Amino acid sequence: YESPQRLVRNPVDGLDVVLTLDAELQSIAESELDRAISQMDADGGDVVFLDPRSGELLAVASRAANGAPTSSVFTVAFEPGSTAKLFTAAALLSHDKVTPEMTVQVAEAPFRIPGRPAPISDAKLKPGSYSLAHAIEVSSNIATVKFGQLLSPEEHYDTLRDFGFDSPTGVELPREAVVRLPPPDRWNPADHGPSMSMGYRMQVTPIQLAVAYGAIANDGVLMAPTLVREIRTAGGEVSYRHQPDTVRRVVSTEVAATLREFLDLAAGESGTGGASQLAGYRVAGKTGTSRRVADGRYTETYISSFAGLFPAEDPQFVVIVKIENPRGAYYGGETAAPLLKAMLELAPVSYTHLTLP
């Protein structure tokens, strides 16, 4: 029933929010991710496109196996595997622990660390002397762990923290998953350091990984990510416009350039990410493959990933691809890297300012 005393207020136009998402790039990410999940009979997947200089998210796609959209880019953490080896390299270079000529020995037998139950092994790698660059290129667990033993727990931990792990990115969403890194005074020297060197014993979200790789693309400077470009009044006036927000310098310009060289090798013909390459423009990046955890134990299923910079010479995109439990081939170089290539081949020329072949 109408109440005579009821106050009536006319509706007021609200504000318009302009997102950073590029419509064409978003469409490509969604359709190609759907295709890859179906083709691989995977449990789901995520794709992130990030502008490393502004922190703007250009495309965000998350899908379950049935095609339903999810928010797992922001809300589901995973062990990144070998994509995290680059942060071990960053710590080593930043603390002057290695030189280009320094090598470690990789034997055919698994590498055993006293006090660590499980040995560390490499798949399909020849024994020999490995530099840090070569260890990243071919994704050697043994070589990366041996180099990582040169770091103190504090040096390793501080580098991971500086890259943004252990804290939320601050992106404009109501919920964001954050998994805390164990503080260095609680590390088991035989376990935490070696495991984190190759991307285990730590968890990240795809958005955190994108932001961290964005710092490498952006000459060592970490930028805060954003989904909001502008806020406009009902009359069309801009009341807010996003300005790039610098969080901190993570590594020096020189170290960032060296890390990009490592990524260029890793995505080359001799690296694990060669399937990401386009004709005409180079992709730099790192593959990742990690075992999934259920009920506190590692399973025989996998998460495949690839973190890419495109183009390698002057990155305009950071692209993170994650595939959850692909059936059949499961290495990141066989699953996530080809998906990145497929998306970049369709990327809008008007946005990239590149003429793709």
Side-chain angles (χ1 to χ4, degrees):
Y1 295 91
E2 286 291 333
S3 170
Q5 288 78 30
R6 185 168 65 105
L7 296 177
V8 176
R9 185 174 63 186
N10 292 327
V12 178
D13 291 333
L15 300 174
D16 290 329
V17 177
V18 181
L19 299 182
T20 59
L21 299 178
D22 179 272
E24 190 171 356
L25 205 57
Q26 179 70 24
S27 176
I28 290 168
E30 291 178 2
S31 61
E32 289 302 302
L33 179 60
D34 285 339
R35 180 192 58 79
I37 290 173
S38 175
Q39 188 178 63
M40 300 175 198
D41 192 22
D43 288 351
D46 303 287
V47 168
V48 181
F49 276 77
L50 174 79
D51 182 335
R53 292 185 177 86
S54 68
E56 292 187 349
L57 291 163
L58 306 176
V60 176
S62 294
R63 289 288 193 272
N66 61 2
T70 72
S71 59
S72 55
V73 160
F74 308 99
T75 60
V76 177
F78 69 105
E79 290 187 317
S82 295
T83 57
K85 288 175 179 172
L86 201 68
F87 309 119
T88 306
L92 289 161
L93 293 169
S94 296
H95 291 94
D96 296 321
K97 299 291 185 178
V98 295
T99 63
E101 299 78 22
M102 186 181 297
T103 61
V104 295
Q105 293 298 312
V106 173
E108 190 169 351
F111 176 48
R112 296 185 180 276
I113 298 175
R116 180 185 174 89
I120 297 166
S121 60
D122 281 323
K124 306 176 183 178
L125 292 183
K126 297 179 180 179
S129 298
Y130 284 67
S131 65
L132 181 59
H134 189 43
I136 300 297
E137 177 184 10
V138 298
S139 202
S140 169
N141 292 330
I142 295 174
T144 305
V145 167
K146 284 190 171 184
F147 277 117
Q149 289 180 314
L150 300 173
L151 294 166
S152 71
E154 291 76 15
E155 290 167 338
H156 198 167
Y157 173 84
D158 287 345
T159 299
L160 292 174
R161 288 263 309 197
D162 285 347
F163 271 105
F165 305 119
D166 193 56
S167 60
T169 66
V171 70
E172 304 93 342
L173 282 177
R175 186 163 68 95
E176 184 181 359
V178 177
V179 180
R180 299 296 181 186
L181 296 172
D185 59 0
R186 292 172 51 192
W187 285 22
N188 175 352
D191 185 8
H192 286 82
S195 294
M196 289 186 179
S197 291
M198 53 185 180
Y200 284 87
R201 274 282 191 176
M202 59 181 290
Q203 291 194 331
V204 306
T205 58
I207 180 65
Q208 282 182 311
L209 197 59
V211 171
Y213 267 81
I216 296 165
N218 193 36
D219 290 332
V221 177
L222 188 78
M223 307 299 292
T226 183
L227 273 166
V228 178
R229 179 172 291 152
E230 290 180 351
I231 297 177
R232 298 175 183 172
T233 66
E237 295 180 0
V238 176
S239 62
Y240 166 82
R241 178 176 285 117
H242 170 73
Q243 299 297 325
D245 183 8
T246 300
V247 178
R248 70 180 71 87
R249 174 169 286 282
V250 181
V251 295
S252 68
T253 301
E254 294 74 21
V255 167
T258 301
L259 294 172
R260 291 196 297 272
E261 291 174 5
F262 289 177
L263 293 176
D264 195 21
L265 291 171
E269 292 182 2
S270 301
T272 56
S276 66
Q277 288 302 327
L278 301 171
Y281 289 94
R282 286 192 62 78
V283 175
K286 183 73 191 74
T287 57
T289 309
S290 59
R291 292 171 67 181
R292 299 165 86 200
V293 177
D295 299 324
R297 295 179 178 275
Y298 288 113
T299 69
E300 294 303 317
T301 60
Y302 295 86
I303 294 172
S304 307
S305 58
F306 188 84
L309 311 183
F310 177 77
E313 299 80 9
D314 182 22
Q316 297 181 36
F317 293 152
V318 171
V319 189
I320 303 298
V321 177
K322 172 189 159 222
I323 304 295
E324 190 88 17
N325 190 24
R327 270 72 171 183
Y330 61 84
Y331 285 112
E334 301 170 314
T335 55
L339 173 54
L340 178 137
K341 176 182 178 180
M343 291 188 295
L344 290 178
E345 287 178 332
L346 298 172
V349 174
S350 59
Y351 197 93
T352 64
H353 309 294
L354 300 172
T355 302
L356 298 180

